[in-house]
Amino acid sequence: MRMAKILEVREENPRIKTLILELGMKAVPGQFAMVWVPGMNEKPFSLSGCVEGKAWVTVAKVGAFSERLHQMKAGEQVGIRGPFGNGFKMKGEKVAVVGGGCGSAPLGFLVDELRKAGKKVDFVVGAKTKGELFFVERARNAGAEVVVCTDDGSDGRKGFTTDALAELLGKEKLDCVYTCGPEMMMKKVVGICGEKGVECQASLERFMKCGFGVCGQCAIDGMLVCRDGPVFDGKKIAKMKEFGSLRRDACGKEMRS
Amino acid sequence: MVELGVELAGVRLSKPLILASGIVGVSAATLKRAAKGGAGAVTMKSIGPEPRSGHPNPTVLEWECGLVNAVGLSNPGMEEGAKDLAAAVKMVKAPVIGSFFAKDVAGFGDVAAKLAEAKPAMLEANLSCPNTMRESGVPFAYEPEHAAEAVKAVKGRVSGIPLIAKLSPNTHLLKEVAKAVEAAGADVINMGNTLGPGMIINLEARKPVLANKAGGVSGPAIRPIAVRCVWDVYEAVKIPVIGTGGVCSGRDALEMMMAGATAVGIGSAVAGGGFKVFGKISKEMEEWMGKNGFSSAKELIGIAHR
Ligand SMILES: Cc1cc2nc3c(=O)[nH]c(=O)nc-3n(C[C@H](O)[C@H](O)[C@H](O)COP(=O)(O)OP(=O)(O)OC[C@H]3O[C@@H](n4cnc5c(N)ncnc54)[C@H](O)[C@@H]3O)c2cc1C
Ligand SMILES: Cc1cc2nc3c(=O)[nH]c(=O)nc-3n(C[C@H](O)[C@H](O)[C@H](O)COP(=O)(O)O)c2cc1C
């Protein structure tokens, strides 16, 4: 466990903040870290950036722990274990990145790295409403073509990211599609890419404890999300029976969705 | 060719390596993967009478010589647990061991009876978890009478499924405890659980890192102690012993067997080696045995005592 000072807190939108930590580590987009608040808890968060001795985590306020992270100020410390897991693998030249809700956290980092490597990137990003979008400017500044989708039409096009992706794939041949977001969205993305024969990679979430493959809590179809993932190949995901249907809670009890 | 197969209380293991309880074994599918990776038998995560979410995180930490953990026996409770176990028994070709715990003697009988419905190859009474002392007092395995009572409670409710008593290195009465569980009817002893508990403090945070503050120590750090405990238990009882604690390589496993283990439990080594670690260890065992003129793993059991 390493303690890292918070250098800056950025408010991405009312529900989402990015903590920029003073922490040198080598990580690729899609890898995650366990973030510890001493005396409280420790939970997994994707790295939303990792450059020049700084690591970023972008946190949606959904419960007690994430709320505590939202209260933290520059100068305070959090503990970090990681980076853990396998990140996104760069494939081909023309790619699309599809993010929904707070799933865009690792994707801002991914778009940056893809652009640095000279790839042509379409970033399809969706949210319920305009105020819940984030990393749109970041992706534009990185040089990605951004397609915004909102459920209520308050920004960009009204409708789902998956429809925008299908349209894109109808127009041009892409080498790879990267996705992170609500599981049902990712399931559709995997399905669409499967039909079109386009390679796809998705970052999955399950309840995690150890983060490095011993406790087994984050298993999905016998794969450990922390160690075998969190980024999996679309073909592998398509075979997972639990994807989109079953997860385990902190007790290990199965919950169907 | 060298033969690695052994027998434990009438149950045949194709390899003398057992996935230890609490390591990746939360679902049938992960147990299946461990068996495919080369485990001769697999143990499910310990199940208790009621669902428990366990301690908050951090629950498992790596340090220079192993792990410390205070998962806190998170489990879905015996109703769900029996279903998971039944699924594992159906799905996994290797023998599946159903591990369980309770905070009182009657509870041990209840959970064992429930899990027995799933027809596992063996049951394992976890008498030794050091992580939940604050709620359940001292672990059963610290005192001969307490350990024997729990074993008797299980034996009174379940017959026809061999029972493993999982002991703790954290007692000065180890030989007495081993004799007591044997007399109470245990068919096998697993020696044993984590050492400690231990603690890791982060200097910058000025705080213990585990949410439970203290946690059981496992991995290479405890191997010499586990070997000595297996040695002592082998001398004290006639029933077979599973040697568990810090085994990472073929040489480590052979050492356990020479100390008296019929089979070897593997836990923390999965952190470094993944599911394939079982195959790696058995290959190393075969190589050493071949070079040193052993044709069967059985010949090694307790050889250091002779
Ligand atoms: C690999 C991975 C990467 C993640 N990346 C991000 C990210 O970049 N940004 C972000 O905002 N969130 C991310 N999450 C989810 C984040 O861990 C949860 O939102 C957070 O733990 C919620 O804690 P809480 O106390 O605020 O809410 P709670 O009220 O405790 O839980 C709300 C929901 O969060 C999820 N959750 C809670 N605890 C855990 C846990 N230990 N492991 C996994 N999920 C949990 C559950 O689905 C739960 O229903 C990621 C999760 C995983 C597994
Ligand atoms: C993360 C973790 C969880 C564990 N959970 C259990 C458990 O639920 N039941 C049990 O009997 N032992 C449990 N143990 C103990 C192991 O089964 C094993 O006895 C111990 O770790 C020593 O072996 P090792 O050094 O090979 O890990 C756990 C150990 C670890 C590291």
Side-chain angles (χ1 to χ4, degrees), chain A residues 100-252:
Chain A
C102 48
S104 295
L107 301 182
F109 183 19
L110 176 66
V111 169
D112 282 355
E113 294 300 309
L114 287 167
R115 288 296 304 144
K116 269 191 218 161
K119 316 287 180 191
K120 185 185 170 298
V121 181
D122 286 302
F123 182 39
V124 181
V125 57
K128 286 202 184 74
T129 181
K130 184 176 180 177
E132 292 186 8
L133 289 160
F134 65 103
F135 287 168
V136 173
E137 279 315 302
R138 179 178 177 183
R140 275 197 189 115
N141 291 341
E145 197 64 50
V146 181
V147 182
V148 170
C149 308
T150 50
D151 294 356
D152 63 359
S154 55
D155 196 1
R157 49 185 283 173
K158 182 171 177 343
F160 297 124
T161 51
T162 45
D163 297 333
L165 173 69
E167 241 171 66
L168 211 57
L169 284 170
K171 275 193 298 207
E172 57 181 331
K173 169 107 187 63
L174 296 176
D175 300 317
C176 189
V177 174
Y178 302 93
T179 185
C180 184
E183 199 149 304
M184 282 309 155
M185 182 199 87
M186 291 197 284
K187 193 167 177 143
K188 274 196 193 160
V189 171
V190 168
I192 292 169
C193 292
E195 276 167 30
K196 300 259 178 193
V198 175
E199 193 170 331
C200 163
Q201 297 174 30
S203 178
L204 309 193
E205 278 185 21
R206 284 294 181 270
F207 199 96
M208 275 183 192
K209 288 185 178 174
C210 74
F212 57 94
V214 278
C215 75
Q217 196 72 32
C218 64
I220 176 165
D221 282 87
M223 307 298 280
L224 302 176
V225 171
C226 71
R227 184 176 178 136
D228 301 310
V231 176
F232 290 94
D233 184 81
K235 288 200 197 76
K236 233 178 214 168
I237 295 173
K239 286 193 204 127
M240 292 178 174
K241 290 198 230 43
E242 295 175 10
F243 182 65
S245 68
L246 191 149
R247 49 179 72 235
R248 285 178 192 76
D249 66 6
C251 305

Side-chain angles (χ1 to χ4, degrees), chain A residues 5-77:
Chain A
K5 191 164 98 186
I6 300 170
L7 295 172
E8 188 189 334
V9 180
R10 284 191 194 162
E11 183 162 327
E12 308 289 356
N13 70 38
R15 272 188 70 227
I16 295 179
K17 282 186 180 174
T18 296
L19 309 183
I20 299 177
L21 309 173
E22 184 177 46
L23 185 66
M25 65 171 157
K26 257 184 98 164
V28 297
Q31 286 191 295
F32 69 96
M34 300 298 294
V35 180
W36 178 46
V37 176
M40 186 179 187
N41 214 324
E42 184 208 39
K43 304 241 175 191
F45 291 90
S46 300
L47 292 160
S48 59
C50 190
V51 276
E52 293 156 1
K54 291 175 195 158
W56 300 30
V57 287
T58 298
V59 179
K61 191 161 71 177
V62 296
F65 187 76
S66 47
E67 173 135 29
R68 179 74 191 85
L69 289 180
H70 271 234
Q71 290 160 357
M72 300 204 85
K73 303 261 175 323
E76 288 187 85
Q77 288 190 322

Side-chain angles (χ1 to χ4, degrees), chain A residues 1 3 34 36 38 41-42 77 81 209-210 212-216 219 221-224 227-228 248 250-254, chain B residues 22-24 26-27 29-30 33 52-53 57-62 74-76 80 202 204-205 208-209 270-272 274:
Chain A
M1 182 75 69
M3 296 306 290
M34 300 298 294
W36 178 46
N41 214 324
E42 184 208 39
Q77 288 190 322
R81 286 192 298 135
K209 288 185 178 174
C210 74
F212 57 94
V214 278
C215 75
D221 282 87
M223 307 298 280
L224 302 176
R227 184 176 178 136
D228 301 310
R248 285 178 192 76
C251 305
K253 186 174 152 52
E254 292 180 353
Chain B
I23 310 298
V24 301
V26 292
S27 72
T30 46
R33 244 183 116 192
R52 282 172 64 99
S53 52
N57 245 18
T59 48
V60 192
L61 300 169
E62 279 182 292
S74 56
N75 82 96
E80 291 293 324
N202 181 284
E204 287 68 36
V209 183
V270 173

Side-chain angles (χ1 to χ4, degrees), chain B:
Chain B
M1 263 307 281
V2 294
E3 173 57 55
L4 284 184
V6 294
E7 215 173 85
L8 265 183
V11 178
R12 217 195 109 73
L13 312 189
S14 63
K15 298 202 172 67
L17 305 177
I18 303 178
L19 174 72
S21 182
I23 310 298
V24 301
V26 292
S27 72
T30 46
L31 293 172
K32 182 177 170 179
R33 244 183 116 192
K36 275 198 167 165
V42 293
T43 317
M44 210 170 81
K45 168 103 200 127
S46 297
I47 300 296
E50 304 291 335
R52 282 172 64 99
S53 52
H55 299 305
N57 245 18
T59 48
V60 192
L61 300 169
E62 279 182 292
W63 59 289
E64 300 88 297
C65 307
L67 307 179
V68 287
N69 93 83
V71 171
L73 294 171
S74 56
N75 82 96
M78 67 181 182
E79 298 296 331
E80 291 293 324
K83 282 185 213 157
D84 291 347
L85 184 59
V89 170
K90 208 169 135 198
M91 201 194 269
V92 184
K93 286 207 189 81
V96 176
I97 302 168
S99 170
F100 60 97
F101 70 95
K103 61 182 192 317
D104 50 41
V105 169
F108 267 98
D110 292 342
V111 191
K114 186 74 213 170
L115 294 190
E117 292 172 11
K119 300 199 167 48
M122 297 190 246
L123 284 167
E124 179 169 278
N126 176 3
L127 303 170
S128 45
C129 182
N131 289 335
T132 50
M133 286 201 272
R134 241 164 279 151
E135 294 156 51
S136 54
V138 170
F140 284 80
Y142 289 15
E143 300 279 349
E145 308 82 67
H146 295 173
E149 277 174 30
V151 168
K152 270 188 209 140
V154 174
K155 279 290 171 181
R157 298 281 299 275
V158 178
S159 57
I161 300 177
L163 176 66
I164 305 164
K166 187 166 181 183
L167 303 188
S168 169
N170 308 319
T171 171
H172 63 293
L173 300 172
L174 182 57
K175 285 188 174 188
E176 289 81 351
V177 172
K179 284 182 184 147
V181 295
E182 179 182 49
D187 302 284
V188 177
I189 286 173
N190 184 345
M191 185 73 245
N193 218 308
T194 51
L195 186 73
M199 183 182 284
I200 288 177
I201 292 173
N202 181 284
L203 300 191
E204 287 68 36
R206 300 159 181 67
K207 286 261 186 307
V209 183
L210 288 172
N212 188 52
K213 301 184 179 68
V217 182
S218 62
I222 71 167
R223 200 181 84 238
I225 295 165
V227 169
R228 188 271 302 161
C229 289
V230 167
W231 175 280
D232 283 353
V233 170
Y234 181 80
E235 286 196 332
V237 299
K238 296 205 170 53
I239 53 176
V241 183
I242 301 168
T244 309
V247 172
C248 295
S249 69
R251 292 187 69 91
D252 299 347
L254 292 162
E255 183 186 16
M256 275 293 183
M257 295 190 75
M258 289 188 181
T262 298
V264 178
I266 312 277
S268 304
V270 173
F275 291 93
K276 292 194 192 87
V277 76
F278 298 95
K280 178 195 92 96
I281 293 174
S282 51
K283 194 162 154 276
E284 290 167 358
M285 291 175 81
E286 279 171 353
E287 279 168 13
W288 188 91
M289 286 167 62
K291 270 192 205 136
N292 288 274
F294 288 92
S295 58
S296 167
K298 286 179 204 155
E299 298 162 28
L300 292 158
I301 302 166
I303 202 171
H305 291 260
R306 294 198 275 277

